[in-house]
Amino acid sequence: MKNTVSALVLAAAFALPNAAVALDSSFDAMSQSGNHQFYVWCTGKADYSAAQNGADAKAAQKALASKAGGKCWPVWQGLDN
């Protein structure tokens, strides 16, 4: 299971557009406020990328998860600089 999840996360990182290179994905960036970028994994519909403003990554993820619905989950990619 862990190998499958790791492979999916790695595949998502390579699938992101070139603009994602400008993201700050450091541990410190997770605690900063701003526009956080997520890859939204879904079952039953296509995955997509989305940005959400928040006080930190966790708050932004929670807000985006409520918008995305119960069959999708946002995976943090980084803080947009």
Side-chain angles (χ1 to χ4, degrees):
M1 180 67 174
K2 285 185 180 181
N3 288 339
T4 302
V5 171
S6 296
L8 290 174
V9 169
L10 184 60
F14 286 112
L16 290 175
N18 289 337
V21 175
L23 295 177
D24 181 358
S25 59
S26 69
F27 185 74
D28 290 335
M30 294 180 83
S31 63
Q32 296 175 12
S33 66
N35 198 30
H36 294 269
Q37 183 70 34
F38 294 89
Y39 186 82
V40 184
W41 293 95
C42 298
T43 56
K45 69 177 191 176
D47 301 337
Y48 59 95
S49 293
Q52 178 67 46
N53 204 12
D56 58 21
K58 190 172 185 176
Q61 183 183 43
K62 187 175 179 179
L64 187 57
S66 68
K67 289 181 190 177
K71 295 188 178 198
C72 297
W73 185 251
V75 178
W76 187 75
Q77 298 294 302
L79 181 63
D80 198 3
N81 290 329

